[in-house]
Short mmCIF file of all heavy atoms in Angstrom, two decimals:
data_model
loop_
_atom_site.label_atom_id
_atom_site.label_comp_id
_atom_site.label_asym_id
_atom_site.label_seq_id
_atom_site.Cartn_x
_atom_site.Cartn_y
_atom_site.Cartn_z
N ASP Q 93 6.58 -12.29 24.53
CA ASP Q 93 7.04 -12.01 25.90
C ASP Q 93 8.03 -13.06 26.38
O ASP Q 93 9.03 -12.72 27.01
CB ASP Q 93 5.84 -11.94 26.85
CG ASP Q 93 4.97 -10.72 26.60
OD1 ASP Q 93 5.43 -9.78 25.91
OD2 ASP Q 93 3.82 -10.72 27.09
N SER Q 94 7.76 -14.32 26.10
CA SER Q 94 8.71 -15.36 26.53
C SER Q 94 10.03 -15.24 25.78
O SER Q 94 11.10 -15.46 26.35
CB SER Q 94 8.10 -16.75 26.34
OG SER Q 94 7.96 -17.04 24.97
N TYR Q 95 9.98 -14.87 24.51
CA TYR Q 95 11.22 -14.65 23.76
C TYR Q 95 12.04 -13.51 24.36
O TYR Q 95 13.26 -13.63 24.52
CB TYR Q 95 10.89 -14.34 22.29
CG TYR Q 95 12.09 -13.88 21.50
CD1 TYR Q 95 13.06 -14.77 21.09
CD2 TYR Q 95 12.26 -12.53 21.18
CE1 TYR Q 95 14.16 -14.36 20.37
CE2 TYR Q 95 13.36 -12.10 20.47
CZ TYR Q 95 14.30 -13.03 20.07
OH TYR Q 95 15.40 -12.59 19.37
N VAL Q 96 11.36 -12.43 24.73
CA VAL Q 96 12.06 -11.29 25.34
C VAL Q 96 12.67 -11.70 26.67
O VAL Q 96 13.82 -11.36 26.97
CB VAL Q 96 11.11 -10.09 25.50
CG1 VAL Q 96 11.71 -9.01 26.37
CG2 VAL Q 96 10.74 -9.53 24.14
N ARG Q 97 11.91 -12.46 27.48
CA ARG Q 97 12.44 -12.91 28.77
C ARG Q 97 13.66 -13.80 28.59
O ARG Q 97 14.66 -13.66 29.29
CB ARG Q 97 11.36 -13.67 29.56
CG ARG Q 97 10.54 -12.76 30.43
CD ARG Q 97 9.62 -13.57 31.34
NE ARG Q 97 8.26 -13.14 31.06
CZ ARG Q 97 7.35 -13.80 30.35
NH1 ARG Q 97 7.62 -14.97 29.87
NH2 ARG Q 97 6.17 -13.29 30.14
N GLU Q 98 13.59 -14.75 27.65
CA GLU Q 98 14.72 -15.65 27.41
C GLU Q 98 15.94 -14.90 26.89
O GLU Q 98 17.06 -15.19 27.26
CB GLU Q 98 14.31 -16.76 26.43
CG GLU Q 98 13.31 -17.72 26.99
CD GLU Q 98 13.83 -18.45 28.21
OE1 GLU Q 98 15.00 -18.85 28.23
OE2 GLU Q 98 13.03 -18.62 29.16
N THR Q 99 15.69 -13.93 26.03
CA THR Q 99 16.81 -13.14 25.50
C THR Q 99 17.44 -12.29 26.59
O THR Q 99 18.66 -12.16 26.66
CB THR Q 99 16.31 -12.25 24.35
OG1 THR Q 99 15.69 -13.07 23.37
CG2 THR Q 99 17.45 -11.49 23.72
N ALA Q 100 16.61 -11.73 27.46
CA ALA Q 100 17.14 -10.90 28.55
C ALA Q 100 17.93 -11.74 29.54
O ALA Q 100 18.93 -11.29 30.09
CB ALA Q 100 16.00 -10.18 29.26
N LYS Q 101 17.49 -12.98 29.79
CA LYS Q 101 18.23 -13.86 30.70
C LYS Q 101 19.57 -14.25 30.11
O LYS Q 101 20.53 -14.46 30.84
CB LYS Q 101 17.42 -15.13 30.97
CG LYS Q 101 16.27 -14.94 31.90
CD LYS Q 101 15.57 -16.26 32.12
CE LYS Q 101 14.31 -16.08 32.95
NZ LYS Q 101 13.59 -17.35 33.09
N GLY Q 102 19.62 -14.34 28.79
CA GLY Q 102 20.86 -14.77 28.14
C GLY Q 102 21.98 -13.76 28.22
O GLY Q 102 23.15 -14.10 28.12
N SER Q 103 21.67 -12.50 28.43
CA SER Q 103 22.73 -11.50 28.50
C SER Q 103 23.41 -11.59 29.85
O SER Q 103 22.78 -11.57 30.90
CB SER Q 103 22.16 -10.09 28.28
OG SER Q 103 21.24 -9.79 29.30
N ALA Q 104 24.72 -11.72 29.81
CA ALA Q 104 25.49 -11.91 31.04
C ALA Q 104 25.64 -10.58 31.78
O ALA Q 104 25.79 -9.53 31.16
CB ALA Q 104 26.87 -12.45 30.70
N PRO Q 105 25.57 -10.62 33.11
CA PRO Q 105 25.79 -9.39 33.87
C PRO Q 105 27.24 -8.94 33.74
O PRO Q 105 28.14 -9.75 33.51
CB PRO Q 105 25.44 -9.78 35.31
CG PRO Q 105 25.60 -11.25 35.35
CD PRO Q 105 25.31 -11.76 33.97
N THR Q 106 27.45 -7.65 33.88
CA THR Q 106 28.82 -7.14 33.75
C THR Q 106 29.64 -7.56 34.96
O THR Q 106 29.15 -7.59 36.09
CB THR Q 106 28.80 -5.61 33.64
OG1 THR Q 106 28.16 -5.08 34.79
CG2 THR Q 106 28.08 -5.17 32.39
#
Side-chain angles (χ1 to χ4, degrees):
D93 291 344
S94 68
Y95 170 75
V96 169
R97 270 188 238 103
E98 292 299 319
T99 304
K101 285 181 185 177
S103 62
T106 58

